[in-house]
Amino acid sequence: MAAAAPPPPPTPAPSAPTGLPDSDSTPVGHPLFSRIRLATPLDVPHIQKLIHQMAIFEKLTHLFTATESELASTLFKSPPFHSFTIFLLEVSSRPFEKDSNLHSQNFTPVERIINLDHSLIDPEAETFRNGINGDAVVAGFVLFFPNYSTFLGKPGFYVEDLFVRECYRRKGLGKMLLSAVASQAVKMGYGRVEWVVLDWNVNAIKFYEEMGANVLPEWRICRITGPALDAYRDAI
Amino acid sequence: MAAAAPPPPPTPAPSAPTGLPDSDSTPVGHPLFSRIRLATPLDVPHIQKLIHQMAIFEKLTHLFTATESELASTLFKSPPFHSFTIFLLEVSSRPFEKDSNLHSQNFTPVERIINLDHSLIDPEAETFRNGINGDAVVAGFVLFFPNYSTFLGKPGFYVEDLFVRECYRRKGLGKMLLSAVASQAVKMGYGRVEWVVLDWNVNAIKFYEEMGANVLPEWRICRITGPALDAYRDAI
């Protein structure tokens, strides 16, 4: 990936006439403006690159085959939240301009300002620039879809993937993405949000438990795939 | 549940004029005619009872709250296979009559004849009689829905529940239900079929492995539900 020039300096925080710190919530220091919005088909190239980075991080590149065209042909086939849904995380050193196109009746973009101690250098900024809002880049995503609990008689959401690019980690952005899914579930009257974690990833488990999750110790995933699945073509 | 009279005797197998056994596949002995079809909203009362039996079997009745109206208001909202989908298993001592209403463009019912050594007594036949085809009863179900693999760039199916009533177990009917889901996945070009199993259920694990499944040892389910989920109502 192309190394990028350092991002432009953050917008200076306006000073109060007295020289004292502002008493309102105007960001000071190095604000990182973040936004969560629904992804669209135009985001597929960035999404494909994020999934590839996730496969590298998980040391599972041998399982990664997804192309942009496969993603484009299988995602965005249903209205948001009815099937596979992606929230995209964007960050910028400047406030996001209002974009009425992003305000669907299903979801209003979520914005947060994160105050950093130091300005942040994104070595992949050129690769993940989103073409709008000046220096805004795609920093992560969460893909989720409805699941169903027969015991509750209610749908829920299953979070298949949650990923934040390396230079944006440990700033609360992963929590922001997962919270957005949980909040949406509550608004829709859904009963659960579920996902899976590797049992040796104790930091992730601690993080999820602090977010209110229970880790279920006894259940194991069963999977039929590849030739074993193909063998069922004419089984019925 | 009401105890029911024993089912009527099975249809006698026609004899060949010579008195020798038939050379074709005409069932002999005690045939159990089985059929898998897409469930409809009319099946909700039976489905609710099956889920309740499953909760009892799993010793999880404290988690079971689903009412018929909750199931009816959350299932059958999308075309089959696009969202939550139920295959219903029916059995009868007589062949199923052809029902053109059941042949949707999405799925043709699957029929199998199982030859039993002894006639079978279903103590819950009255409760699970389906109102068609004489003595046919509902014997089980499988509920599944699309999931998504970002690594494959393809949907799959996740099997939430598979249940066969006690008196019909160990006759290949569970395998028939799971095979129907796997076969449908292959026909739709999907990449995986997944479900979960309790780690102490060694018989189930052996059964699934014989069906071609891998059990993934390292992944654990995380779940936010109840008050912990409600806390996210205004998180975003």
Side-chain angles (χ1 to χ4, degrees):
Chain A
M1 290 170 203
T11 309
S15 301
T18 60
L20 294 172
D22 283 353
S23 59
D24 64 17
S25 61
T26 305
V28 294
H30 300 272
L32 184 70
F33 295 86
S34 61
R35 177 170 71 179
I36 292 174
R37 64 167 171 86
L38 285 166
T40 77
L42 294 173
D43 298 310
V44 164
H46 286 145
I47 292 167
Q48 200 263 356
K49 289 183 181 71
L50 291 171
I51 298 168
H52 187 228
Q53 289 200 355
M54 188 172 57
I56 293 169
F57 177 76
E58 295 181 346
K59 297 182 173 53
L60 294 174
T61 48
H62 58 289
L63 300 179
F64 174 79
T65 62
T67 63
E68 287 185 21
S69 69
E70 282 171 325
L71 293 166
S73 67
T74 52
L75 299 170
F76 310 109
K77 298 297 176 192
S78 299
F81 311 122
H82 286 71
S83 184
F84 320 130
T85 303
I86 299 178
F87 282 156
L88 208 69
L89 171 68
E90 297 165 312
V91 295
S92 173
S93 63
R94 299 192 181 92
F96 285 89
E97 293 163 18
K98 295 297 171 207
D99 183 345
S100 58
N101 291 331
L102 296 181
H103 289 252
S104 76
Q105 60 180 17
N106 294 302
F107 184 72
T108 301
V110 177
E111 296 192 21
R112 289 282 179 280
I113 303 169
I114 298 166
N115 290 307
L116 304 176
D117 293 335
H118 309 282
S119 73
L120 194 148
I121 295 183
D122 179 352
E124 300 170 315
E126 287 304 318
T127 304
F128 285 98
R129 201 172 300 282
N130 69 0
I132 55 169
N133 208 70
D135 69 339
V137 296
V138 173
F141 79 107
V142 57
L143 185 147
F144 58 105
F145 48 79
N147 64 3
Y148 194 84
S149 164
T150 45
F151 282 10
L152 299 179
K154 279 184 186 179
F157 279 136
Y158 183 85
V159 179
E160 175 66 22
D161 284 322
L162 187 152
F163 185 75
V164 175
R165 288 202 288 121
E166 187 170 4
C167 64
Y168 296 108
R169 291 182 199 151
R170 290 170 294 280
K171 302 180 191 337
L173 294 165
K175 185 172 183 176
M176 184 175 155
L177 280 167
L178 192 54
S179 297
V181 178
S183 178
Q184 186 66 29
V186 177
K187 285 171 185 159
M188 295 176 74
Y190 285 9
R192 293 173 177 171
V193 174
E194 294 180 309
W195 63 95
V196 293
V197 66
L198 288 160
D199 66 342
W200 48 259
N201 197 346
V202 290
N203 288 336
I205 289 171
K206 181 166 178 285
F207 171 76
Y208 293 144
E209 286 178 338
E210 286 171 358
M211 285 192 70
N214 288 320
V215 179
L216 311 186
E218 291 186 319
W219 294 99
R220 297 291 175 274
I221 298 170
C222 300
R223 176 182 293 170
I224 304 182
T225 190
L229 181 59
D230 291 337
Y232 283 90
R233 181 176 301 275
D234 301 312
I236 290 291
Chain B
M1 290 168 205
T11 310
S15 300
T18 59
L20 295 172
D22 284 354
S23 59
D24 63 20
S25 61
T26 306
V28 294
H30 300 271
L32 185 70
F33 295 86
S34 61
R35 176 171 71 179
I36 292 174
R37 66 168 170 86
L38 284 166
T40 78
L42 294 173
D43 298 311
V44 163
H46 286 145
I47 292 167
Q48 199 263 356
K49 289 183 180 71
L50 290 171
I51 297 168
H52 187 229
Q53 289 200 355
M54 188 171 58
I56 293 169
F57 177 76
E58 295 181 345
K59 298 182 172 56
L60 293 174
T61 48
H62 57 290
L63 299 180
F64 174 80
T65 61
T67 63
E68 287 185 23
S69 69
E70 282 172 324
L71 294 167
S73 67
T74 52
L75 299 170
F76 311 109
K77 298 296 176 193
S78 299
F81 310 121
H82 287 70
S83 183
F84 319 130
T85 303
I86 299 178
F87 282 156
L88 208 68
L89 170 68
E90 298 166 310
V91 296
S92 173
S93 63
R94 299 190 182 92
F96 284 89
E97 292 162 20
K98 296 295 170 208
D99 183 346
S100 59
N101 292 331
L102 297 181
H103 289 252
S104 76
Q105 62 179 16
N106 294 303
F107 186 71
T108 302
V110 176
E111 295 192 20
R112 288 281 181 279
I113 303 169
I114 296 165
N115 291 307
L116 305 176
D117 293 336
H118 309 284
S119 73
L120 196 150
I121 294 182
D122 179 354
E124 300 171 315
E126 287 304 319
T127 303
F128 286 97
R129 201 171 300 281
N130 70 359
I132 55 167
N133 208 68
D135 69 341
V137 296
V138 172
F141 78 107
V142 58
L143 185 146
F144 58 105
F145 48 79
N147 63 4
Y148 194 83
S149 164
T150 45
F151 282 10
L152 299 179
K154 279 184 185 179
F157 279 136
Y158 183 85
V159 179
E160 174 67 22
D161 284 322
L162 188 153
F163 185 74
V164 174
R165 288 202 287 121
E166 187 170 5
C167 66
Y168 296 107
R169 290 180 200 152
R170 289 170 293 281
K171 302 181 192 335
L173 294 165
K175 185 173 183 175
M176 185 174 154
L177 279 167
L178 191 54
S179 297
V181 177
S183 179
Q184 185 67 28
V186 178
K187 285 170 186 161
M188 294 175 74
Y190 284 10
R192 294 174 177 169
V193 175
E194 295 181 308
W195 63 95
V196 294
V197 65
L198 288 161
D199 65 342
W200 48 258
N201 197 346
V202 289
N203 288 337
I205 290 171
K206 183 165 177 284
F207 171 76
Y208 292 144
E209 287 179 336
E210 286 170 358
M211 285 191 71
N214 288 320
V215 180
L216 310 186
E218 291 187 320
W219 294 99
R220 297 291 174 272
I221 299 171
C222 299
R223 176 182 292 169
I224 303 183
T225 190
L229 181 59
D230 292 338
Y232 283 90
R233 181 176 302 276
D234 301 312
I236 290 290

